[in-house]
Amino acid sequence: MNTIPIYTTKDFQSDQDVRWCPGCGDYSILAQTQRVFPELGIPKEKVVFVSGIGCSSRFPYYMNTYGFHGIHGRAAAIASGLKIARPDLSVWVATGDGDGMSIGGNHFIHACRRNIGLKILLFNNQIYGLTKGQFSPTSLQGQVTKSTPFGNIDHPFNPLSLALGAQATFVARTLDRDPKHMQTVIKRAAAHNGTAFVEIYQNCNVFNDGAFELWTEKDSKDDNVVVLENGKPLIFGKNKDKGIRLNGFTPEVVSLTDGKYTTGDLIVHNEKDSMLAFILAGMSGIPNLPRPVGVVYAVEKPTYEQLMQSQIDEVATKKRTGDLEKLFNRGETWEVK
Amino acid sequence: MNKITKNIDEVTIRFAGDSGDGMQLTGGQFTTATAFVGNDLATMPDYPAEIRAPAGSLAGVSSFQINFGATEIRTPGDKSDCLVVMNPAALKVYLKNLREGGSIIANADNFADKNLRLAGYESNPLQNDSLGRYQVYAVEISKLTQNALKDLNLSPKIVDRTKNFFALGLTYWMYNRPMEPTLKWIREKFAGKEDIIEANTRVLKAGHAYGETTEIFTVRFEVAPAQLPPGRYRSITGNEATAWGLMAAAKRANLELFLGSYPITPASEILQELSKYKNYGVKTFQAEDEIAGITSAIGASYGGALGATNTSGPGLALKTEAMGLAVMLELPLVIIDVQRGGPSTGLPTKTEQADLLQAVYGRNGEAPIPVFAACSPTDCFDTTFEASRIALKYMTPVIVLTDGYIANGAEPWLIPKISELPDLSPTFVTNPEGFAPYKRDPQTLARMWAIPGTPGLEHRIGGLEKENITGNISYDPDNHHLMITTRGEKINNITNDIPLAKVVGDESGDLLVVSWGSTYGAVHNAVETKRNEGLSVSHLHLKYINPLQKNIGEILSNFKQILVPEINLGQLIKILRDKYLVDAVGFNLVRGLPFSAVEIEEKIDEMIKRG
Ligand code: SF4
């Protein structure tokens, strides 16, 4: 049996100079990824990072693994072909809100739907960074950007809802400013069998600074973020004094101190409940509700590559391994002397 | 009764009827029987463009043409000598395709009011004198079929479905084909359904006997076996041959085959065909769009498979950017474009050669890609195999051009021995010592292929310009120029790896006809005819469009005039003029149809006369 070498963070750092703007949230994503990888138990040579185009898509150059910097939007499709051809590899996609949700939206939803074993990290900064500041499909309505001087009139995508709608089997959210949380979520994604989708709130300090401040800054985050933990009630607030309960199908914030509600009235998170997942994902963007972060949904379903392999095995058992020579000579043939 | 047998060298027959009349099946059976006799042959189906056109309508006509002979057959035939029509609509659609003096065998029972009206006939053409220039056999095929099955107690629907076998039996008699292959097929196909076997057998024999015994048929024809290279043959369509060419290449390369594909007419059969062979090391991926088709194939190639994608013109356009990526990454990839009428959606079910410039030039930046074109259904196998060889050896995408005409057409294929096909095994790098992603083989200039999973070779590639050797991102101006020229040189190097071009006919003379792709057969026949008449004309057919073979310039310079017939407005001719500064003349008809040999012959005459 092959034993996997013991790695350190350094082993996953490539010799290339990292070229993101100083202060960019991408640095944290890179650091957490490099920190987590030694713990995943995957031989380094089996890891491939695939990306498209955008600031986020520089990611593969900085990981000392196999890397593939593709073309705009196509990372999920490239990675799908790679994973199907080589199910033995651990294939990761680094993408952004423009790359993955706009030009590559089609590939993204179909990768989710197929449950193909890709780990998709979406660096969501709600802006086009590399092209210097146009609005993206996750930019807010009203947002003033280089291409929306009078405010954005597009409705934004909610990446979590999109992924759930596309039948993803693992959907999570984390934040660039919360290294510990990000590490846990990346580890969970790595361990998931099938498509794992992780939305990462990533600050673009040059073109969209502070977009996620409310959920990342020390004095505001506790009152505005609810951290999802499987089997636990949804409690948040600086003093853990607030919770989320369902009023019909609508989540609402309740106080745990005014005597009206107790923790028993709150939503208890269940990662396997798809209806709940839709409700939790839908909380994003609704005023007065805290932003859920963590693993929203995680279920086991046969993966695309497993189904393909079992089909191959099944056909091979029924018809034996194909002999091309025999195939060519099968059916109606005739001899010319 | 005395029947005369005439010996002829070559015949073209078309079976035409309503989509429900089983004309493809009839044609297929006639083909098998003809192959059995040892004739050379080529076939061409023609399906209605609409999926469910109303029965009896012009839009619902389906046909099958076969050209067979005692000599080498290169096309499914221009005009037919015999037209079998099951209804008036079929006659209406294909009469113009029948040569003057040709025969019509018509199911007279179907030439009644409603069908005549649907076909736009005011009176019955079998009964007025509108068909005076042809030999008309009006046969009550439906009634004769019913009579043959009277005592079997079959539903009228089933009885009606066997009538195509009557027509088949009759043509077997007329062209002296054996019934046994079809009888065997009937027994196997309907095994367990004794009444259906009995019905089809009876009707086939009844058709045959009808020719033998009735007085209306006085002549039958004999077509002697052709002199074909010995060996085992099968019939194969261009799309099947393309699929099998890919499988054979992957097999000889010891690689898994990965096809990333999106359905598109007329290329979908390649995806369908390959999807059957799960147990042959073939993975097919029906992607969400054309772009995912090619990019998934690039991903698979990156992983060490033989990546391929197939499409038609509109799909090739969508794959453009990804093709450039494959050029930059220098990964093997086979891209198959089954051309159809364009631009835009154009004529999806019709043939055309108008993607040539798109294939050769249609990318951003300097992105040279080898382009090879198949000339016949069986040549699709060879061309695809050759494309795979070059893709693997030179680490490059290669485009294979076929078209709707040869993709759907079929001809006998001398089945190759897999073990005798060239070995295409690539060498994957495994030794980290001295490894660099863009280090090249000094001869071919191909870069090293290191696949994920190989310890110590972790590296990054991508669409940004690469630094020579290291493959790191580089914006250095001189490096960019170096990489651009190196990638170009690599593709030009392929000329050292492909055979020299051969002229058919004299090496010099008054006129050279240069063709590429599916016009091969018509041009070949036309040049042959004109040479037999004593004209100084030769033929050069190009499989390798990019790069062109080394001796093309020299060949062109040996002729006074050059004619380039193409089913486009002049695309190869632009390349030839550009590369060799020759004063070539184009012959361009863009009708969604193949050229006929006669059209080329007329053009040859015109050029020779002009001098
Ligand atoms: S533009 Fe924004 S996202 Fe891009 S590197 Fe700079 S800070 Fe980061």
Side-chain angles (χ1 to χ4, degrees), chain A residues 74-89:
Chain A
R74 317 302 169 201
I78 294 167
S80 295
L82 177 60
K83 183 71 184 175
I84 294 167
R86 295 286 306 278
D88 60 308
L89 300 174

Side-chain angles (χ1 to χ4, degrees), chain B residues 368-428:
Chain B
I369 292 184
V371 178
F372 303 166
C375 74
S376 70
T378 56
D379 190 46
C380 289
F381 181 89
D382 299 339
T383 307
T384 310
F385 191 91
E386 174 72 344
S388 310
R389 178 180 78 87
I390 294 296
L392 290 164
K393 185 163 174 186
Y394 290 82
M395 295 289 281
T396 177
V398 179
I399 297 174
V400 174
L401 294 177
T402 76
D403 61 35
Y405 179 50
I406 54 176
N408 291 318
E411 59 182 2
W413 180 49
L414 179 57
I415 304 168
K417 290 246 174 318
I418 303 289
S419 56
E420 286 168 12
L421 294 171
D423 183 356
L424 309 186
S425 313
T427 323
F428 294 127

Side-chain angles (χ1 to χ4, degrees), chain B residues 139-160:
Chain B
V139 183
E140 294 177 314
I141 292 179
S142 302
K143 278 205 197 86
L144 290 162
T145 300
Q146 285 155 19
N147 284 347
L149 304 180
K150 239 189 342 235
D151 55 320
L152 282 187
N153 267 330
L154 294 166
S155 76
K157 207 171 158 190
I158 290 182
V159 171
D160 190 60

